[in-house]
Amino acid sequence: MTRAAVIARRELGSYFYSPIAYVAMTLFLIATGLAFGRDFRPGQVVAMRSLLEWMVFFMVGIIPILTMGLLAQERSTGTIETLMTAPVTDVILGKFLGALSFSMILVLLTAAHVGTLLLFGTPDLGPILTAYLGLVLTIMVYLSVGLLISTCTRFQLVSALVSVVILVVFTLICHAVGEIMPDEIRRIIWFVSLVDRYLHFLQGLVAMDDVVYLLSIVATMLFLSVKVLESRKWRA
């Protein structure tokens, strides 16, 4: 666990030396600022509905940028051999926690919007905090998917593009397709839809099946990442 913490700390620090991370942060802050502008208008309910609705979609574009180099860059630069002196599980967990830490910094930056609402009104913090819980769980899913794809290729651009496609399918397309399907099929499609799981949190509902479903995806993706990296280590 100590090695995983060291790798996570190194990974978090590396983001602040990468221009790509600053680009991702800038785009995220601009997007969230514009979304919050729709909430912070005269006559609007004192809430963050637009911002919280859109943040999960913003992350579809941001997270692949953060995860594309987690393992792909290590392989392309040849530093993977040094990294693999640590246990594979620690490598995967450390990379995941490092990316998660940077993602949580992005989320915490939006706390300024919550402070603005508290300054000018009396928002109901319950649904806001519940939505943030759902957002964090969804981000964990995104990160675990991006990490798995980064483990499978040495090309960062390929990793980013494949991750975006997968996340778009399970965040946007599943919901859109479900809208036009009969009820029986719609229920099946929306069962795997990440955005529909997140919408439950956005409505102020914390259902155990949603939490278990999202965490099970994270665990599965991390397990597969470990197995892929172990197979590559064995071939090496």
Side-chain angles (χ1 to χ4, degrees), residues 10-64:
R10 191 199 76 169
E11 194 63 38
L12 176 60
S14 70
Y15 280 117
F16 293 98
Y17 292 98
S18 169
I20 292 178
Y22 285 102
V23 170
M25 182 181 291
T26 301
L27 292 175
F28 177 76
L29 290 177
I30 292 173
T32 53
L34 292 173
F36 181 68
R38 299 180 59 186
D39 293 316
F40 195 66
R41 291 184 298 182
Q44 289 288 100
V45 176
V46 184
M48 296 172 57
R49 184 77 184 186
S50 293
L51 174 59
L52 292 170
E53 280 180 349
W54 282 100
M55 258 207 293
V56 71
F57 300 116
F58 298 154
M59 286 298 183
V60 170
I62 299 298
I63 294 300

Short mmCIF file of all heavy atoms in Angstrom, two decimals, residues 10-64:
data_model
loop_
_atom_site.label_atom_id
_atom_site.label_comp_id
_atom_site.label_asym_id
_atom_site.label_seq_id
_atom_site.Cartn_x
_atom_site.Cartn_y
_atom_site.Cartn_z
N ARG A 10 3.48 10.59 -6.89
CA ARG A 10 4.29 10.95 -8.06
C ARG A 10 3.40 11.29 -9.24
O ARG A 10 3.66 12.25 -9.98
CB ARG A 10 5.22 9.79 -8.43
CG ARG A 10 6.28 10.14 -9.46
CD ARG A 10 6.87 8.94 -10.13
NE ARG A 10 5.95 8.38 -11.12
CZ ARG A 10 6.29 7.44 -12.01
NH1 ARG A 10 7.49 6.93 -12.00
NH2 ARG A 10 5.40 7.00 -12.89
N GLU A 11 2.33 10.51 -9.41
CA GLU A 11 1.43 10.75 -10.54
C GLU A 11 0.72 12.09 -10.39
O GLU A 11 0.57 12.85 -11.36
CB GLU A 11 0.40 9.63 -10.62
CG GLU A 11 -0.38 9.59 -11.92
CD GLU A 11 0.51 9.32 -13.11
OE1 GLU A 11 1.46 8.51 -13.00
OE2 GLU A 11 0.27 9.94 -14.17
N LEU A 12 0.27 12.38 -9.18
CA LEU A 12 -0.39 13.67 -8.93
C LEU A 12 0.55 14.83 -9.21
O LEU A 12 0.16 15.82 -9.86
CB LEU A 12 -0.89 13.74 -7.48
CG LEU A 12 -1.53 15.06 -7.04
CD1 LEU A 12 -2.75 15.39 -7.90
CD2 LEU A 12 -1.91 15.00 -5.56
N GLY A 13 1.79 14.71 -8.75
CA GLY A 13 2.77 15.77 -9.00
C GLY A 13 3.06 15.95 -10.48
O GLY A 13 3.26 17.07 -10.94
N SER A 14 3.04 14.83 -11.23
CA SER A 14 3.36 14.92 -12.66
C SER A 14 2.33 15.72 -13.43
O SER A 14 2.64 16.33 -14.45
CB SER A 14 3.48 13.52 -13.26
OG SER A 14 2.21 12.88 -13.32
N TYR A 15 1.09 15.74 -12.94
CA TYR A 15 0.05 16.52 -13.63
C TYR A 15 0.39 18.01 -13.62
O TYR A 15 0.10 18.72 -14.59
CB TYR A 15 -1.31 16.31 -12.95
CG TYR A 15 -2.00 15.02 -13.34
CD1 TYR A 15 -2.26 14.04 -12.40
CD2 TYR A 15 -2.38 14.79 -14.66
CE1 TYR A 15 -2.89 12.86 -12.75
CE2 TYR A 15 -3.01 13.61 -15.02
CZ TYR A 15 -3.26 12.64 -14.06
OH TYR A 15 -3.89 11.48 -14.42
N PHE A 16 0.99 18.47 -12.56
CA PHE A 16 1.28 19.90 -12.45
C PHE A 16 2.51 20.30 -13.26
O PHE A 16 2.85 21.48 -13.33
CB PHE A 16 1.45 20.28 -10.97
CG PHE A 16 0.17 20.16 -10.19
CD1 PHE A 16 -0.08 19.02 -9.42
CD2 PHE A 16 -0.79 21.15 -10.24
CE1 PHE A 16 -1.27 18.90 -8.71
CE2 PHE A 16 -1.97 21.04 -9.53
CZ PHE A 16 -2.21 19.91 -8.77
N TYR A 17 3.19 19.32 -13.86
CA TYR A 17 4.29 19.60 -14.77
C TYR A 17 3.88 19.38 -16.22
O TYR A 17 4.70 19.50 -17.13
CB TYR A 17 5.50 18.73 -14.44
CG TYR A 17 6.16 19.06 -13.12
CD1 TYR A 17 5.87 18.34 -11.98
CD2 TYR A 17 7.06 20.12 -13.02
CE1 TYR A 17 6.46 18.64 -10.75
CE2 TYR A 17 7.65 20.44 -11.81
CZ TYR A 17 7.35 19.70 -10.69
OH TYR A 17 7.93 20.01 -9.47
N SER A 18 2.62 19.03 -16.42
CA SER A 18 2.13 18.72 -17.77
C SER A 18 1.22 19.82 -18.29
O SER A 18 0.24 20.17 -17.64
CB SER A 18 1.36 17.39 -17.75
OG SER A 18 0.67 17.18 -18.96
N PRO A 19 1.53 20.38 -19.46
CA PRO A 19 0.64 21.40 -20.03
C PRO A 19 -0.74 20.86 -20.37
O PRO A 19 -1.73 21.59 -20.33
CB PRO A 19 1.39 21.84 -21.30
CG PRO A 19 2.30 20.71 -21.63
CD PRO A 19 2.69 20.11 -20.32
N ILE A 20 -0.81 19.56 -20.68
CA ILE A 20 -2.10 18.97 -21.02
C ILE A 20 -3.05 19.05 -19.83
O ILE A 20 -4.25 19.33 -19.99
CB ILE A 20 -1.91 17.51 -21.46
CG1 ILE A 20 -1.15 17.46 -22.80
CG2 ILE A 20 -3.26 16.80 -21.61
CD1 ILE A 20 -0.88 16.07 -23.31
N ALA A 21 -2.52 18.82 -18.63
CA ALA A 21 -3.37 18.88 -17.44
C ALA A 21 -3.90 20.29 -17.23
O ALA A 21 -5.06 20.48 -16.84
CB ALA A 21 -2.58 18.42 -16.22
N TYR A 22 -3.07 21.29 -17.49
CA TYR A 22 -3.52 22.67 -17.33
C TYR A 22 -4.56 23.04 -18.39
O TYR A 22 -5.49 23.81 -18.12
CB TYR A 22 -2.33 23.63 -17.40
CG TYR A 22 -1.49 23.60 -16.14
CD1 TYR A 22 -0.28 22.91 -16.10
CD2 TYR A 22 -1.92 24.25 -14.99
CE1 TYR A 22 0.48 22.88 -14.93
CE2 TYR A 22 -1.17 24.23 -13.83
CZ TYR A 22 0.03 23.54 -13.80
OH TYR A 22 0.76 23.50 -12.65
N VAL A 23 -4.41 22.48 -19.58
CA VAL A 23 -5.42 22.69 -20.62
C VAL A 23 -6.75 22.07 -20.18
O VAL A 23 -7.82 22.69 -20.30
CB VAL A 23 -4.96 22.07 -21.96
CG1 VAL A 23 -6.11 22.07 -22.97
CG2 VAL A 23 -3.78 22.84 -22.52
N ALA A 24 -6.67 20.85 -19.64
CA ALA A 24 -7.89 20.18 -19.16
C ALA A 24 -8.54 20.98 -18.04
O ALA A 24 -9.76 21.15 -18.01
CB ALA A 24 -7.55 18.77 -18.68
N MET A 25 -7.72 21.49 -17.13
CA MET A 25 -8.25 22.28 -16.02
C MET A 25 -8.91 23.56 -16.51
O MET A 25 -9.99 23.94 -16.06
CB MET A 25 -7.13 22.61 -15.02
CG MET A 25 -7.59 23.40 -13.80
SD MET A 25 -6.23 23.78 -12.66
CE MET A 25 -5.83 22.14 -12.03
N THR A 26 -8.27 24.22 -17.47
CA THR A 26 -8.81 25.46 -18.01
C THR A 26 -10.14 25.22 -18.71
O THR A 26 -11.12 25.96 -18.49
CB THR A 26 -7.82 26.10 -18.99
OG1 THR A 26 -6.58 26.37 -18.31
CG2 THR A 26 -8.37 27.39 -19.56
N LEU A 27 -10.19 24.19 -19.54
CA LEU A 27 -11.43 23.87 -20.24
C LEU A 27 -12.54 23.52 -19.26
O LEU A 27 -13.70 23.94 -19.44
CB LEU A 27 -11.20 22.70 -21.21
CG LEU A 27 -10.30 22.98 -22.41
CD1 LEU A 27 -10.06 21.70 -23.19
CD2 LEU A 27 -10.90 24.05 -23.31
N PHE A 28 -12.19 22.79 -18.23
CA PHE A 28 -13.18 22.40 -17.22
C PHE A 28 -13.72 23.62 -16.50
O PHE A 28 -14.93 23.75 -16.30
CB PHE A 28 -12.55 21.43 -16.23
CG PHE A 28 -13.46 21.02 -15.11
CD1 PHE A 28 -14.48 20.11 -15.33
CD2 PHE A 28 -13.31 21.55 -13.83
CE1 PHE A 28 -15.34 19.73 -14.29
CE2 PHE A 28 -14.16 21.19 -12.80
CZ PHE A 28 -15.16 20.27 -13.04
N LEU A 29 -12.85 24.54 -16.10
CA LEU A 29 -13.29 25.72 -15.37
C LEU A 29 -14.15 26.64 -16.24
O LEU A 29 -15.13 27.22 -15.77
CB LEU A 29 -12.08 26.48 -14.83
CG LEU A 29 -11.31 25.78 -13.71
CD1 LEU A 29 -10.08 26.59 -13.31
CD2 LEU A 29 -12.20 25.54 -12.50
N ILE A 30 -13.79 26.76 -17.51
CA ILE A 30 -14.59 27.58 -18.42
C ILE A 30 -15.98 26.96 -18.60
O ILE A 30 -17.00 27.65 -18.52
CB ILE A 30 -13.89 27.72 -19.79
CG1 ILE A 30 -12.63 28.57 -19.66
CG2 ILE A 30 -14.85 28.34 -20.81
CD1 ILE A 30 -11.79 28.62 -20.92
N ALA A 31 -16.00 25.64 -18.82
CA ALA A 31 -17.27 24.96 -19.04
C ALA A 31 -18.17 25.03 -17.81
O ALA A 31 -19.36 25.32 -17.91
CB ALA A 31 -17.02 23.50 -19.43
N THR A 32 -17.59 24.77 -16.64
CA THR A 32 -18.40 24.81 -15.41
C THR A 32 -18.85 26.23 -15.09
O THR A 32 -19.95 26.44 -14.57
CB THR A 32 -17.63 24.23 -14.22
OG1 THR A 32 -16.35 24.89 -14.08
CG2 THR A 32 -17.41 22.74 -14.40
N GLY A 33 -18.01 27.21 -15.40
CA GLY A 33 -18.39 28.60 -15.18
C GLY A 33 -19.58 29.00 -16.03
O GLY A 33 -20.50 29.67 -15.56
N LEU A 34 -19.56 28.58 -17.29
CA LEU A 34 -20.68 28.89 -18.19
C LEU A 34 -21.96 28.18 -17.74
O LEU A 34 -23.05 28.76 -17.78
CB LEU A 34 -20.32 28.48 -19.62
CG LEU A 34 -19.21 29.29 -20.31
CD1 LEU A 34 -18.85 28.67 -21.65
CD2 LEU A 34 -19.65 30.74 -20.48
N ALA A 35 -21.81 26.93 -17.30
CA ALA A 35 -22.99 26.20 -16.83
C ALA A 35 -23.56 26.84 -15.57
O ALA A 35 -24.78 26.95 -15.42
CB ALA A 35 -22.62 24.74 -16.56
N PHE A 36 -22.68 27.27 -14.67
CA PHE A 36 -23.15 27.90 -13.44
C PHE A 36 -23.82 29.24 -13.75
O PHE A 36 -24.73 29.66 -13.04
CB PHE A 36 -21.99 28.11 -12.47
CG PHE A 36 -22.41 28.74 -11.17
CD1 PHE A 36 -23.20 28.04 -10.28
CD2 PHE A 36 -22.01 30.04 -10.85
CE1 PHE A 36 -23.59 28.61 -9.07
CE2 PHE A 36 -22.40 30.61 -9.65
CZ PHE A 36 -23.19 29.90 -8.75
N GLY A 37 -23.38 29.89 -14.81
CA GLY A 37 -24.00 31.16 -15.20
C GLY A 37 -25.48 31.00 -15.51
O GLY A 37 -26.27 31.94 -15.31
N ARG A 38 -25.87 29.81 -15.97
CA ARG A 38 -27.29 29.55 -16.24
C ARG A 38 -28.07 29.40 -14.94
O ARG A 38 -29.28 29.65 -14.89
CB ARG A 38 -27.44 28.29 -17.08
CG ARG A 38 -26.75 28.37 -18.45
CD ARG A 38 -26.95 27.11 -19.24
NE ARG A 38 -28.36 26.82 -19.47
CZ ARG A 38 -28.81 25.70 -20.05
NH1 ARG A 38 -27.96 24.78 -20.45
NH2 ARG A 38 -30.10 25.52 -20.23
N ASP A 39 -27.40 28.96 -13.88
CA ASP A 39 -28.06 28.80 -12.59
C ASP A 39 -28.14 30.13 -11.83
O ASP A 39 -29.10 30.39 -11.12
CB ASP A 39 -27.29 27.80 -11.71
CG ASP A 39 -27.35 26.38 -12.26
OD1 ASP A 39 -28.45 25.96 -12.66
OD2 ASP A 39 -26.31 25.71 -12.27
N PHE A 40 -27.10 30.95 -11.99
CA PHE A 40 -26.98 32.16 -11.19
C PHE A 40 -27.57 33.36 -11.94
O PHE A 40 -26.87 34.24 -12.41
CB PHE A 40 -25.50 32.40 -10.85
CG PHE A 40 -25.29 33.40 -9.74
CD1 PHE A 40 -25.72 33.12 -8.46
CD2 PHE A 40 -24.67 34.60 -9.98
CE1 PHE A 40 -25.51 34.02 -7.42
CE2 PHE A 40 -24.46 35.52 -8.96
CZ PHE A 40 -24.89 35.23 -7.68
N ARG A 41 -28.90 33.33 -12.08
CA ARG A 41 -29.61 34.41 -12.77
C ARG A 41 -30.82 34.81 -11.95
O ARG A 41 -31.38 33.99 -11.21
CB ARG A 41 -30.05 33.97 -14.17
CG ARG A 41 -28.91 33.77 -15.16
CD ARG A 41 -29.44 33.43 -16.54
NE ARG A 41 -30.19 32.18 -16.55
CZ ARG A 41 -30.71 31.64 -17.63
NH1 ARG A 41 -30.60 32.25 -18.80
NH2 ARG A 41 -31.38 30.49 -17.57
N PRO A 42 -31.25 36.05 -12.07
CA PRO A 42 -32.44 36.49 -11.33
C PRO A 42 -33.65 35.62 -11.65
O PRO A 42 -33.90 35.30 -12.82
CB PRO A 42 -32.64 37.93 -11.81
CG PRO A 42 -31.29 38.37 -12.27
CD PRO A 42 -30.64 37.15 -12.84
N GLY A 43 -34.38 35.25 -10.62
CA GLY A 43 -35.57 34.44 -10.81
C GLY A 43 -35.34 32.95 -10.80
O GLY A 43 -36.30 32.17 -10.75
N GLN A 44 -34.05 32.52 -10.86
CA GLN A 44 -33.75 31.11 -10.84
C GLN A 44 -33.84 30.55 -9.42
O GLN A 44 -33.61 31.25 -8.44
CB GLN A 44 -32.34 30.85 -11.38
CG GLN A 44 -32.19 31.07 -12.88
CD GLN A 44 -32.87 29.99 -13.67
OE1 GLN A 44 -33.98 30.20 -14.16
NE2 GLN A 44 -32.25 28.85 -13.80
N VAL A 45 -34.18 29.27 -9.32
CA VAL A 45 -34.16 28.59 -8.02
C VAL A 45 -32.72 28.55 -7.52
O VAL A 45 -31.78 28.37 -8.31
CB VAL A 45 -34.71 27.16 -8.16
CG1 VAL A 45 -34.61 26.41 -6.83
CG2 VAL A 45 -36.15 27.19 -8.65
N VAL A 46 -32.53 28.75 -6.20
CA VAL A 46 -31.17 28.77 -5.64
C VAL A 46 -30.66 27.33 -5.60
O VAL A 46 -30.83 26.60 -4.61
CB VAL A 46 -31.17 29.40 -4.23
CG1 VAL A 46 -29.74 29.49 -3.71
CG2 VAL A 46 -31.79 30.78 -4.27
N ALA A 47 -30.07 26.91 -6.70
CA ALA A 47 -29.56 25.55 -6.82
C ALA A 47 -28.46 25.54 -7.89
O ALA A 47 -28.11 26.59 -8.43
CB ALA A 47 -30.69 24.59 -7.19
N MET A 48 -27.91 24.37 -8.15
CA MET A 48 -26.85 24.24 -9.15
C MET A 48 -27.24 23.19 -10.18
O MET A 48 -26.43 22.40 -10.61
CB MET A 48 -25.53 23.85 -8.46
CG MET A 48 -25.01 24.90 -7.51
SD MET A 48 -23.59 24.31 -6.55
CE MET A 48 -22.45 23.83 -7.83
N ARG A 49 -28.51 23.19 -10.55
CA ARG A 49 -29.04 22.13 -11.41
C ARG A 49 -28.28 22.04 -12.73
O ARG A 49 -27.85 20.96 -13.14
CB ARG A 49 -30.53 22.39 -11.66
CG ARG A 49 -31.22 21.30 -12.47
CD ARG A 49 -31.52 20.09 -11.63
NE ARG A 49 -32.09 19.02 -12.43
CZ ARG A 49 -32.55 17.89 -11.92
NH1 ARG A 49 -32.50 17.69 -10.63
NH2 ARG A 49 -33.05 16.95 -12.70
N SER A 50 -28.12 23.16 -13.43
CA SER A 50 -27.46 23.13 -14.74
C SER A 50 -26.02 22.67 -14.61
O SER A 50 -25.54 21.83 -15.38
CB SER A 50 -27.52 24.51 -15.39
OG SER A 50 -28.84 24.87 -15.72
N LEU A 51 -25.31 23.22 -13.63
CA LEU A 51 -23.90 22.86 -13.44
C LEU A 51 -23.76 21.38 -13.14
O LEU A 51 -22.94 20.68 -13.76
CB LEU A 51 -23.29 23.69 -12.31
CG LEU A 51 -21.86 23.33 -11.90
CD1 LEU A 51 -20.91 23.47 -13.07
CD2 LEU A 51 -21.41 24.18 -10.74
N LEU A 52 -24.55 20.88 -12.20
CA LEU A 52 -24.44 19.48 -11.81
C LEU A 52 -24.90 18.54 -12.92
O LEU A 52 -24.37 17.43 -13.05
CB LEU A 52 -25.26 19.24 -10.54
CG LEU A 52 -24.70 19.93 -9.29
CD1 LEU A 52 -25.70 19.84 -8.14
CD2 LEU A 52 -23.37 19.31 -8.88
N GLU A 53 -25.85 18.97 -13.72
CA GLU A 53 -26.29 18.16 -14.86
C GLU A 53 -25.18 18.03 -15.89
O GLU A 53 -24.95 16.96 -16.45
CB GLU A 53 -27.52 18.78 -15.52
CG GLU A 53 -28.83 18.49 -14.81
CD GLU A 53 -30.00 19.12 -15.52
OE1 GLU A 53 -29.77 19.95 -16.44
OE2 GLU A 53 -31.15 18.81 -15.19
N TRP A 54 -24.49 19.14 -16.15
CA TRP A 54 -23.52 19.16 -17.23
C TRP A 54 -22.13 18.67 -16.84
O TRP A 54 -21.36 18.23 -17.68
CB TRP A 54 -23.41 20.56 -17.83
CG TRP A 54 -24.55 20.87 -18.75
CD1 TRP A 54 -25.66 21.62 -18.49
CD2 TRP A 54 -24.70 20.43 -20.11
NE1 TRP A 54 -26.50 21.65 -19.57
CE2 TRP A 54 -25.94 20.93 -20.59
CE3 TRP A 54 -23.93 19.65 -20.95
CZ2 TRP A 54 -26.39 20.68 -21.87
CZ3 TRP A 54 -24.39 19.39 -22.25
CH2 TRP A 54 -25.60 19.91 -22.69
N MET A 55 -21.82 18.71 -15.54
CA MET A 55 -20.47 18.32 -15.13
C MET A 55 -20.13 16.89 -15.50
O MET A 55 -19.00 16.57 -15.88
CB MET A 55 -20.28 18.54 -13.62
CG MET A 55 -19.50 19.80 -13.30
SD MET A 55 -18.63 19.74 -11.74
CE MET A 55 -20.00 19.70 -10.60
N VAL A 56 -21.10 16.00 -15.39
CA VAL A 56 -20.84 14.60 -15.71
C VAL A 56 -20.52 14.44 -17.19
O VAL A 56 -19.74 13.56 -17.58
CB VAL A 56 -22.04 13.72 -15.28
CG1 VAL A 56 -23.24 13.95 -16.19
CG2 VAL A 56 -21.66 12.25 -15.24
N PHE A 57 -21.10 15.30 -18.04
CA PHE A 57 -20.79 15.25 -19.47
C PHE A 57 -19.44 15.91 -19.77
O PHE A 57 -18.72 15.46 -20.66
CB PHE A 57 -21.90 15.94 -20.26
CG PHE A 57 -23.25 15.30 -20.07
CD1 PHE A 57 -24.29 15.98 -19.48
CD2 PHE A 57 -23.48 14.00 -20.50
CE1 PHE A 57 -25.54 15.40 -19.30
CE2 PHE A 57 -24.72 13.40 -20.33
CZ PHE A 57 -25.74 14.10 -19.72
N PHE A 58 -19.12 16.99 -19.06
CA PHE A 58 -17.81 17.61 -19.24
C PHE A 58 -16.69 16.60 -18.98
O PHE A 58 -15.67 16.58 -19.67
CB PHE A 58 -17.63 18.81 -18.29
CG PHE A 58 -18.62 19.93 -18.51
CD1 PHE A 58 -18.96 20.79 -17.47
CD2 PHE A 58 -19.19 20.14 -19.75
CE1 PHE A 58 -19.85 21.83 -17.67
CE2 PHE A 58 -20.10 21.17 -19.97
CZ PHE A 58 -20.43 22.02 -18.91
N MET A 59 -16.91 15.77 -17.97
CA MET A 59 -15.87 14.82 -17.59
C MET A 59 -15.63 13.74 -18.65
O MET A 59 -14.57 13.12 -18.67
CB MET A 59 -16.25 14.16 -16.26
CG MET A 59 -16.07 15.07 -15.05
SD MET A 59 -14.33 15.57 -14.85
CE MET A 59 -14.44 16.53 -13.33
N VAL A 60 -16.60 13.54 -19.53
CA VAL A 60 -16.41 12.58 -20.61
C VAL A 60 -15.24 13.02 -21.50
O VAL A 60 -14.50 12.19 -22.04
CB VAL A 60 -17.70 12.43 -21.45
CG1 VAL A 60 -17.44 11.63 -22.73
CG2 VAL A 60 -18.79 11.76 -20.62
N GLY A 61 -15.07 14.32 -21.66
CA GLY A 61 -13.96 14.83 -22.46
C GLY A 61 -12.70 15.07 -21.65
O GLY A 61 -11.59 14.93 -22.18
N ILE A 62 -12.85 15.39 -20.37
CA ILE A 62 -11.70 15.72 -19.53
C ILE A 62 -10.96 14.49 -19.04
O ILE A 62 -9.71 14.42 -19.11
CB ILE A 62 -12.15 16.56 -18.31
CG1 ILE A 62 -12.78 17.88 -18.76
CG2 ILE A 62 -10.97 16.82 -17.38
CD1 ILE A 62 -11.86 18.79 -19.53
N ILE A 63 -11.68 13.49 -18.56
CA ILE A 63 -11.04 12.31 -17.96
C ILE A 63 -10.13 11.56 -18.94
O ILE A 63 -9.01 11.18 -18.57
CB ILE A 63 -12.10 11.36 -17.36
CG1 ILE A 63 -12.80 12.03 -16.18
CG2 ILE A 63 -11.46 10.04 -16.94
CD1 ILE A 63 -11.89 12.41 -15.03
N PRO A 64 -10.52 11.32 -20.19
CA PRO A 64 -9.59 10.65 -21.11
C PRO A 64 -8.28 11.40 -21.31
O PRO A 64 -7.24 10.78 -21.54
CB PRO A 64 -10.39 10.57 -22.42
CG PRO A 64 -11.81 10.51 -21.97
CD PRO A 64 -11.87 11.45 -20.80
#
